[in-house]
Amino acid sequence: MHTLEKHIFLIGFMGVGKSSTARALSEQLRVAEMDTDEMIAGREGMTISQIFQEHGEEYFRGKETQLLDELAGKDPCIVSCGGGMAMRPENIAKMKETGEIILLTAQPETIFEHVRCSTARPLLQGHMNVEYIAKLMGEREPRYQKAADWTLVSDDITPWEMAEAIVRHLEG
Ligand code: S3P
């Protein structure tokens, strides 16, 4: 069993591989992992799409911020964040206080291949194409970059290999 000194937050655009990388990293480091979308959906008893539909995006964003507050008092773990987590400056500040932020990036074409069959991403419903993904990524890029302590490009490597790269980085 490994002990982390602080949380590891995996951030980045939808479909970049945060959840699968977090699971691989959890296996490699033998440290617990959690997924903010799963936590919120589980607590609300609804899918992310239902939460957006019934309560709106701001309600969901509030739940994300609340989770970060709760994590501050918990043992360090690996946290796979929903793609919008780094959009609120206060969330970036909270993550920086309690952990290291690792940004996963990929080309819009790669992202599209990962999300094209998904119906679980309300922000992409009705815009499931490379052009829209590229536009939204471009708008978000400055905040992702501002948040990131370290960045990993995920286009050509598997989640297991990404986790291995993160382990090497942590062992520095
Ligand atoms: C979102 C990303 C989703 C989920 C929600 C909003 C976003 O998570 O939190 O649909 O704003 O980028 P994934 O990045 O796990 O798809």
Side-chain angles (χ1 to χ4, degrees):
M1 200 76 177
H2 219 87
T3 39
L4 291 176
E5 282 171 20
K6 48 190 176 174
H7 293 309
I8 298 172
F9 294 101
L10 299 186
I11 65 161
F13 202 79
M14 292 169 264
V16 78
K18 295 166 300 218
S19 302
S20 16
T21 301
R23 283 192 291 269
L25 192 56
S26 169
E27 263 187 66
Q28 290 176 24
L29 290 177
R30 296 177 190 278
V31 165
E33 58 101 10
M34 58 134 340
D35 184 302
T36 61
D37 284 345
E38 269 177 28
M39 283 287 292
I40 294 170
R43 285 180 178 186
E44 299 289 307
M46 281 188 252
T47 64
I48 301 294
S49 297
Q50 286 169 332
I51 298 172
F52 270 64
Q53 233 170 17
E54 294 200 15
H55 300 296
E57 182 172 349
E58 275 311 293
Y59 176 87
F60 175 76
R61 298 301 175 201
K63 296 289 163 193
E64 287 188 314
T65 303
Q66 186 187 323
L67 261 190
L68 292 182
D69 285 332
E70 289 174 29
L71 275 168
K74 299 253 159 63
D75 285 345
C77 66
I78 299 153
V79 186
S80 172
C81 296
M85 186 67 95
M87 296 305 110
R88 278 191 176 180
E90 66 177 304
N91 289 354
I92 300 181
K94 287 176 196 290
M95 289 190 280
K96 283 200 180 291
E97 264 170 39
T98 58
E100 168 156 2
I101 305 178
I102 297 181
L103 169 65
L104 306 187
T105 68
Q107 291 300 312
E109 291 77 8
T110 308
I111 299 283
F112 175 66
E113 285 309 317
H114 292 168
V115 299
R116 59 186 299 174
C117 297
S118 165
T119 53
R121 293 182 166 103
L123 296 184
L124 296 180
Q125 287 306 109
H127 311 280
M128 195 55 93
N129 57 69
V130 174
E131 292 70 29
Y132 183 77
I133 289 170
K135 177 176 168 286
L136 188 56
M137 279 177 74
E139 289 167 8
R140 289 181 162 198
E141 199 54 30
R143 291 196 185 187
Y144 286 137
Q145 294 296 347
K146 187 155 188 247
D149 293 312
W150 194 64
T151 302
L152 188 56
V153 179
S154 75
D155 291 282
D156 298 317
I157 57 175
T158 64
W160 187 262
E161 290 166 336
M162 286 199 270
E164 286 178 332
I166 294 171
V167 172
R168 283 196 298 275
H169 162 73
L170 294 174
E171 287 170 352

